[in-house]
Structures are given as structure tokens and as C-alpha cells.
Amino acid sequence: MTKIIFKLLGVALIATIGGAYYVWQQAIQVPEEYSKANTDEKIDSQSLPLQPSQITERAAVTKQKISAPIERARSGQKVNVKLSDRDLNNLVVAKLATSQQNKQIPLGIKGIKTNIKDGKIYTGAMVNLDKLTHDGQPGSQTAALAKLTDKLTFLKGRDVYIGVVGKPTLTGDRIEFASDTQIKVGNMNFTIAQLAENLGVSAEKLQQTIDLQLQQQNLKVNRIDIRNNGLEIEGSKK
């Protein structure tokens, strides 16, 4: 996710620098779904910083909810897995931490929230560019971003919302976000295809970056659905 944050800001801001004021207005906005999630007690805000052990423990609880019904089933037997928005948030936090050498969330990222409503998954966080770039090593992505923020001074010291909005879908036996998923920078929206073209990378690579990581080798997934603000996975044990 950190890689996509750096590339997203480069494309979204540099490519539209001619309309800097409009970009500034849109980039600093906090989407309504995130603001509402902040005040909704049922949403686990995952207050940061969390220790690696806390992140691992929370992810383990969610992974157990996925694996337990599979383990109880016989081969070919129907399996139902139900996950809440908190469960999905645990997986998002764990994936982001796993991508870091210290297995922690970078200090520049806070308030990771996942909300399920209207048949879509909304997940994102507030990102402080100054804190992300502070410890960047020469030649690193964070160092490159520091040069960008030197030019786009309106981002200095600000928390910018970075998020993903989309529906889970089945591609073969794999659960992933649908191709019309939107990646948000503040109130600016980009599809996976648009970003892939602008970043010069494959759509598949971007898809992997936001992968829900719900795959289970011993489960054949037949259907996924969002009901009652939760994600339901139906399949059969292999």
C-alpha cells in the first residue's frame, strides 16, 4: 500500500499541477464515508501505533474465523465464512505492517478504517507526507516524495486521505476487488485501469497491491456477497 501511495500522489498531483488550486481543494478533502466511520462506534479505528504483536493477534483472530469452518468441514462439504468490517480492517492493517521491515505501521499513516455499506468496501487512512518522508533514505520512494512535496507546498504538514472503494468479486477461484474499484486521494477518484495507464504498470500489479488476501488453498469459493454490513463467502472444502 505504501508503494501505491507514493505513485498515486505523483500521478494525481504532478499530472494536474496546472489546476493546482482545484487539486489542493480535492486532495485535502476527507471523504464522507471516512468521516462517518470516525464517529461510528462499531468501526474499529485501529488507533495507531500498534505493536507488531497486537497487529498479529488481531489478524490471527480474523484468519481463525476464515479457517475454522473450513477445518470443521469434510471434503466437498459446503462452507460459509462471515466477516465484519472489523475483520477486514484487521487484514488491511496486517498486510500493511507485513510490507514493512519492522512489521509496524509507518508513523505517517494513521486511523486505518474499513467500512462495509451499500454493497461496497471502503478502506483507507490518513497519510501525513512529512512524517512518511522524514526517515527516507537517499534514492528511496520516501526521499523522492520529499522532493515532490518541496514543489507542492500545500501538502506539507497535512494529513491526506488515501483509500480504496470497491466491490469484492470472484475471478476464477480468487477473491479480489472488481475492475471498477476506485482508488481515492482525498476526494479525487481513479480506477485501476486509469492508474495502470498513468503509472506505466500493469493493472494486474495494481490489483495485487489492493488484494483482500482472503484466499484459502483448501476452499473452493462459489459465491461472495455483502449483507448486513458484512462480507459472506460461500464455498466448499477441497
Side-chain angles (χ1 to χ4, degrees), residues 62-238:
T62 295
K63 290 176 181 178
Q64 180 64 17
K65 290 181 69 173
I66 299 174
S67 62
I70 301 173
E71 292 171 357
R72 290 194 298 265
R74 299 185 302 274
S75 179
Q77 186 175 1
K78 183 178 178 180
V79 174
N80 283 302
V81 176
K82 296 182 180 181
L83 300 175
S84 66
D85 42 20
R86 180 173 297 188
D87 291 323
L88 294 180
N89 207 52
N90 288 338
L91 296 178
V92 170
V93 171
K95 181 177 181 180
L96 182 55
T98 301
S99 68
Q100 306 302 305
Q101 289 186 349
N102 61 5
K103 306 306 179 186
Q104 289 183 307
I105 304 298
L107 291 178
I109 300 176
K110 63 182 181 180
I112 302 173
K113 304 180 191 302
T114 301
N115 189 18
I116 301 174
K117 66 174 185 177
D118 302 328
K120 294 182 179 180
I121 297 174
Y122 298 76
T123 186
M126 300 304 297
V127 180
N128 188 294
L129 304 180
D130 287 358
K131 292 181 180 178
L132 271 182
T133 60
H134 182 266
D135 296 325
Q137 299 299 315
S140 69
Q141 291 173 317
T142 51
L145 186 57
K147 295 179 181 179
L148 171 62
T149 53
D150 283 341
K151 296 180 180 180
L152 302 173
T153 56
F154 59 80
L155 290 180
K156 284 186 175 294
R158 290 186 177 276
D159 290 345
V160 179
Y161 177 81
I162 306 289
V164 176
V165 181
K167 295 180 179 180
T169 187
L170 272 178
T171 302
D173 218 18
R174 184 178 183 83
I175 301 174
E176 60 184 20
F177 276 109
S179 59
D180 61 352
T181 291
Q182 293 184 336
I183 299 176
K184 304 191 72 167
V185 179
N187 263 344
M188 296 186 292
N189 302 319
F190 304 90
T191 66
I192 294 174
Q194 287 172 334
L195 286 176
E197 182 178 354
N198 283 286
L199 295 175
V201 299
S202 70
E204 182 180 357
K205 186 174 182 179
L206 283 178
Q207 195 81 56
Q208 292 172 354
T209 304
I210 61 173
D211 191 347
L212 293 173
Q213 290 197 331
L214 296 174
Q215 283 32 281
Q216 296 289 307
Q217 291 184 349
N218 54 349
L219 177 67
K220 175 177 172 53
V221 180
N222 299 322
R223 182 183 64 84
I224 53 175
D225 198 8
I226 293 180
R227 295 181 180 178
N228 300 323
N229 295 324
L231 179 66
E232 295 186 11
I233 304 170
E234 182 183 290
S236 58
K237 185 171 182 178
K238 293 182 180 179

